[in-house]
Amino acid sequence: MSPVMELASQDAHEDSNNERMDLIHQMDPSPATDLSLPNQTFLRAAISLKDKVVEMTWKKENSNNSTSGTCLDPTVYSGLLGTAFTCFRSYQATGHHPDLILCNQIVDACANSAAATSRHVTFLCGRGGIYALGAVAANYMGDHQRRDIFLDLFLQVAQERALPVGPEEGGFGMSYELMYGRAGFLWAALFINKHLGPGKSIDSDLLLPVVEALIAGGRAGASDNTACPLMYRWHGTRYWGAANGLAGILHVLLHFPLSKEDAEDVKSTLRYMMSNRFPHSGNYPSSEGNPRDKLVQWSHGATSMAITLCKASQVFPGEREFRDAAIEAGEVVWKSGLVKKVGLADGVAGNAYAFLSLYRLTGESIYEERAKAFGSYLYHNATELVTVLRDERGADIAYSLFQGLAGVACLWFDLLAPESSRFPGYEL
């Protein structure tokens, strides 16, 4: 048994283990196939680690805040909503209904804290994520009244006056990036629309003005750089990565219908980034003009660019250069992506998703094999890697979705069906 399996199986009840074993056998009925053993191993590991995440976050939170009814951090990125998302991903992968029930319970706790603790409107770090996941999870439960309550709450968030305001109207009061800004709000709306479908989706009349503000803000930010049509600042720095920079913003824009002019600006911005890779490694700078070729992760570097370029290749299938650049970014991740952290944001789990995106784009089995190789590395090393984070910042962060072990559990679930895999909070 690997260290992470030992960690994940501590204090498990015998009856719960029996139930999980039954589920594992149901999920893997063909043990004779070549991939059945590793899939079964990943399934066992994912379920056990998900249970440990719940124990260390939700159950601990309940015992600490039984009187207040609030949670300290209700976000997807680093807080309790990440546990809810992990339960949701477990339900999607296994059909285990108690995970969906638990997801809804955790969302309720986060919603109780949202007004007091979260001023942001995004999926990863704000109320947008709470209400979006709440609506989707309720819809899966068949609870339409609850779904509509969360949809109404999301529509209230959508009334934030700064969202559709462009730079010509002083629209720099809200950032543009994925974690805290307008792109993050748009992603939350896309998540709702994907899972609820026509009839209960967020109307395009509400979203397209925000898209237009995002484009306008990028043009204003790039006004002193004729080579790059779109550029954004976050806290004064022109970041390139997914969390606070270009890769994340462009990825969101690629999900919307764009005018010919807007599409050309998106493509030209991607080409600008591709042309400014580090020549020896092929990696991408963390920010405009930054000479340090060090970071290979989702937040900064080749990982998020591989995923964003995969999306660009799907949206613009005639532009072969995006497909080629995605593959080249994947090679950077394969060479340098076994980093010293575990999480989605800056660790091995997030890097593995670059290969899953490339697998869906190309259909080539080498990318599935690479993703499983990274998953196997985490199976054997995640506990050791996360120890420093746990010692420095506490168990909550160590079990969080984007910085800790919850992201590892989601990866393992996604390795069971790579063709359906999606980077949590980034891919749709």
Side-chain angles (χ1 to χ4, degrees):
M1 179 180 289
S2 77
V4 74
M5 284 292 288
E6 291 175 359
L7 177 151
S9 61
Q10 290 171 359
D11 302 322
H13 296 293
E14 185 175 351
D15 56 347
S16 177
N17 281 343
N18 290 337
E19 182 181 13
R20 295 294 188 256
M21 286 300 297
D22 290 342
L23 180 59
I24 289 165
H25 291 311
Q26 292 169 17
M27 287 291 294
D28 191 15
S30 305
T33 61
D34 290 340
L35 293 179
S36 61
L37 181 60
N39 275 1
Q40 188 179 66
T41 300
F42 284 130
L43 178 61
R44 275 201 185 94
I47 291 172
S48 296
L49 187 53
K50 180 266 302 177
D51 288 344
K52 189 65 177 180
V53 168
V54 169
E55 178 187 338
M56 295 302 295
T57 57
W58 172 240
K59 293 180 181 178
K60 178 182 176 182
E61 193 72 51
N62 271 346
S63 63
N64 289 343
N65 299 295
S66 57
T67 56
S68 66
T70 62
C71 58
L72 295 178
D73 182 351
T75 69
V76 168
Y77 187 86
S78 59
L80 195 55
L81 197 66
T83 300
F85 190 96
T86 305
C87 292
F88 178 67
R89 182 56 57 88
S90 177
Y91 168 74
Q92 288 181 299
T94 67
H96 189 56
H97 197 68
D99 287 333
L100 184 59
I101 295 172
L102 186 56
C103 173
N104 279 275
Q105 292 172 347
I106 299 173
V107 167
D108 281 345
C110 293
N112 288 337
S113 298
T117 61
S118 181
R119 71 182 188 278
H120 301 296
V121 299
T122 63
F123 187 85
L124 294 181
C125 294
R127 289 169 289 140
I130 298 170
Y131 303 147
L133 184 56
V136 169
N139 195 61
Y140 274 83
M141 286 283 292
D143 189 340
H144 294 168
Q145 181 179 9
R146 175 185 168 88
R147 175 200 65 196
D148 291 345
I149 289 172
F150 278 114
L151 279 176
D152 287 343
L153 289 168
F154 186 85
L155 290 173
Q156 291 177 31
V157 170
Q159 299 307 312
E160 170 66 49
R161 292 177 61 187
L163 278 168
V165 176
E168 69 282 355
E169 302 167 271
F172 287 102
M174 178 182 287
S175 66
Y176 292 92
E177 34 74 63
L178 189 71
M179 282 186 64
Y180 303 108
R182 298 169 217 223
F185 164 79
L186 289 171
W187 198 94
L190 289 167
F191 180 77
I192 290 174
N193 289 355
K194 174 189 175 179
H195 288 282
L196 299 192
K200 285 296 177 181
S201 59
I202 307 301
D203 196 285
S204 61
D205 290 343
L206 190 64
L207 301 181
L208 291 183
V210 186
V211 173
E212 291 169 3
L214 205 58
I215 293 283
R219 286 176 179 148
S223 58
D224 59 347
N225 185 346
T226 57
C228 183
L230 302 174
M231 188 64 71
Y232 304 85
R233 289 181 176 87
W234 188 70
H235 287 234
T237 300
R238 295 175 171 182
Y239 288 106
W240 279 31
N244 305 114
L246 275 171
I249 295 169
L250 296 176
H251 191 261
V252 169
L253 287 174
L254 286 166
H255 288 80
F256 287 93
L258 300 173
S259 69
K260 183 177 180 179
E261 181 184 6
D262 293 347
E264 287 301 321
D265 280 355
V266 168
K267 289 191 286 186
S268 295
T269 301
L270 287 170
R271 293 186 184 112
Y272 173 81
M273 299 173 77
M274 290 155 52
S275 67
N276 283 277
R277 288 172 285 184
F278 292 113
H280 297 296
S281 69
N283 193 26
Y284 287 78
S286 60
S287 59
E288 179 77 359
N290 192 323
R292 295 179 67 219
D293 182 5
K294 184 178 180 181
L295 300 175
V296 177
Q297 56 193 48
W298 175 81
S299 295
H300 305 288
T303 301
S304 59
M305 280 302 294
I307 297 171
T308 296
L309 286 164
C310 283
K311 180 63 180 177
S313 182
Q314 294 165 350
V315 174
F316 308 116
E319 308 282 352
R320 180 76 188 194
E321 59 189 315
F322 297 136
R323 179 187 176 97
D324 292 343
I327 291 171
E328 290 166 8
E331 292 302 311
V332 176
V333 179
W334 178 243
K335 180 180 178 180
S336 304
L338 283 182
V339 294
K340 295 181 179 179
K341 295 183 180 180
V342 301
L344 295 175
D346 51 12
V348 178
N351 288 344
Y353 275 98
F355 306 130
L356 292 173
S357 293
L358 284 163
Y359 173 72
R360 297 197 315 273
L361 176 68
T362 68
E364 295 180 8
S365 61
I366 186 174
Y367 297 116
E368 179 184 5
E369 293 164 4
R370 288 180 172 185
K372 288 190 172 183
F374 273 36
S376 297
Y377 175 83
L378 287 168
Y379 179 82
H380 293 290
N381 296 285
T383 304
E384 180 182 352
L385 292 173
V386 84
T387 298
V388 174
L389 179 64
R390 182 168 47 197
D391 292 344
E392 289 179 351
R393 301 184 62 186
D396 290 346
I397 289 293
Y399 288 91
S400 68
L401 182 60
F402 267 73
Q403 294 187 312
L405 291 168
V408 177
C410 286
L411 171 65
W412 288 341
F413 281 125
D414 273 330
L415 290 176
L416 302 174
E419 67 282 355
S420 302
S421 62
R422 297 292 185 273
F423 192 115
Y426 196 55
E427 295 182 289
L428 288 156

